[in-house]
Amino acid sequence: MSVLSGQHLFDRDVPRFLESPAGVLPPYPRRTWLRWTMRGILALPLVIVVVRYALLAPEPWHDTANQALLARVRDGAGAADFGQLLTTFSPPLGALPALVLPSELLLAVGGALLGGFFLQGLDQAMFRRGLHGIIRLVVLVSLLISPVFVLLSATDITMFGAVVLFGLGLIDIVRFENLANTQAGFRAGLLLGAAAMTDVRAIPLVLTVAIVGTLLIHSRPQARAANAVIVAFPTVAVTVALALAGVIIGSGPLTFLRTDATSAARAIEALVSDPLSEPLMLYLAPVLVVAITAGVFGFARSGVMMLLIAVGALAGVLVGSPLIAAAALAYLLVHISVAILPTESPAQHAAIVVMCSVLVGIVGWVVASRLPEAQEWSVVFTGFGQVPSGGGNG
């Protein structure tokens, strides 16, 4: 009869990869004032475009998601019953910016500052993955000059906030599952749950990324299913709590979605009716770029993960999200995921990051030139042509 020693009890929990011996990495840049300076520098181009747009557009902020958010919060401020309050302020984090920044211009500037904060976090994640400064610069610039990135940051702060929280959560998922950082895993679950509390379109996306995480190269391979539960649990808990609140007040479990079967059916019909529509091409083109590049460089695992993330983003149409919004979300997340998800070798990772960032950036400009929602932002960017009136993303 063999005796199991205390050491053997922990053999299965020895991670294959460690982020650092101490489990903690210093921030980048190391000095706090340098990090905030970097965030300000990265946000400055977005702020300049927002101000130019406010000065040049004949009807700035017309028909944008921010405008609709402000109207919804103002109308719900005097709600007489809890059902109306749940509809107005659900998900709760999504309504908060409209209470703190009560104008379209302030929301747009807030989105620009949020963009600078996120880009610094993305640069820090790429630095920790060992990517060269030039490669990191390519990624940051390709996002900063993307009309889609500016469009969302300046006109739809709830979706953009969910993108930022999801992106930061995805960074921590990689640190948790690939590099055995349990603190990052706890933080990833909270960030993804916060994304779901910011925009309901993030709910199917978070559940998708929990599945995607099982495909990562795991430091603890036996813990794949447990890690997926850890990542998804806060979002599932938030969703169930909001659904139960709707049941308790008698308005139904889907009240927090602020949608109905008709609007969802309309979005799905738009998705399948015209396979060559600009919004659908904004979704398909970057996905195809990633799939083809994955085949060329032989990193099928990471390619599949990015495709699943794009599918999760498009699932937003099931909760009534306009196709253009779901497509823009997929475009940004594919772009961001390229820089975050690890491949089997550093050289392979560097090659795919550069190729996909450049190609997806070009695709974004080409498709955006056909989208009425993005044309005015392109004009503000380039300085050529007259800014058309209107042009939000609804």
Side-chain angles (χ1 to χ4, degrees), residues 15-36:
R16 293 188 297 167
F17 315 109
L18 280 175
E19 190 173 52
S20 71
V24 178
L25 287 178
Y28 175 80
R30 282 178 176 267
R31 296 185 180 277
T32 302
W33 71 268
L34 281 176
R35 289 198 300 277
W36 282 105

Side-chain angles (χ1 to χ4, degrees), residues 70-155:
L70 286 170
R72 174 165 59 86
V73 170
R74 289 187 190 118
D75 291 344
D81 60 89
F82 185 74
Q84 189 177 352
L85 278 174
L86 180 63
T87 304
T88 300
F89 296 102
S90 180
L93 293 182
L96 186 60
L99 297 174
V100 179
L101 305 169
S103 78
E104 290 90 341
L105 177 59
L106 289 177
L107 285 174
V109 172
L113 296 176
L114 193 61
F117 183 89
F118 171 70
L119 290 175
Q120 184 275 325
L122 181 62
D123 182 62
Q124 176 177 264
M126 292 188 290
F127 172 80
R128 288 172 171 176
R129 299 298 298 185
L131 291 177
H132 192 275
I134 295 177
I135 297 174
R136 305 201 312 269
L137 184 63
V138 169
V139 176
L140 297 180
V141 170
S142 64
L143 281 168
L144 271 175
I145 67 173
S146 167
V148 178
F149 189 79
V150 178
L151 177 68
L152 283 186
S153 66
T155 65

Side-chain angles (χ1 to χ4, degrees), residues 243-392:
L244 285 176
V247 172
I248 291 171
I249 64 176
S251 59
L254 301 181
T255 301
F256 70 97
L257 296 179
R258 297 193 316 276
T259 187
D260 53 35
T262 302
S263 62
R266 193 182 307 118
I268 294 172
E269 182 182 0
L271 174 64
V272 300
S273 62
D274 185 4
L276 297 179
S277 67
E278 284 83 1
L280 194 54
M281 289 306 298
L282 182 62
Y283 167 75
L284 289 175
V287 171
L288 292 175
V289 165
V290 170
I292 293 171
T293 311
V296 170
F297 286 93
F299 71 120
R301 183 203 299 260
S302 296
V304 169
M305 286 189 285
M306 283 182 274
L307 296 180
L308 288 174
I309 288 173
V311 170
L314 198 64
V317 300
L318 297 176
V319 293
S321 175
L323 180 55
I324 174 59
L329 179 60
Y331 167 84
L332 282 183
L333 291 178
V334 167
H335 201 156
I336 293 166
S337 300
V338 167
I340 295 173
L341 294 179
T343 57
E344 283 74 8
S345 74
Q348 188 185 54
H349 192 196
I352 187 60
V353 167
V354 172
M355 287 290 294
C356 282
S357 292
V358 172
L359 291 176
V360 171
I362 293 173
V363 165
W365 267 95
V366 171
V367 177
S369 67
R370 302 287 305 276
L371 291 169
E373 295 87 350
Q375 285 174 359
E376 59 186 7
W377 295 95
S378 301
V379 172
V380 172
F381 256 126
T382 61
F384 297 109
Q386 182 178 358
V387 180
S389 61

Side-chain angles (χ1 to χ4, degrees), residues 192-212:
L192 295 180
M197 292 183 69
T198 300
D199 196 311
V200 294
R201 290 168 285 192
I203 294 175
L205 183 59
V206 171
L207 301 180
T208 301
V209 84
I211 299 172
V212 168

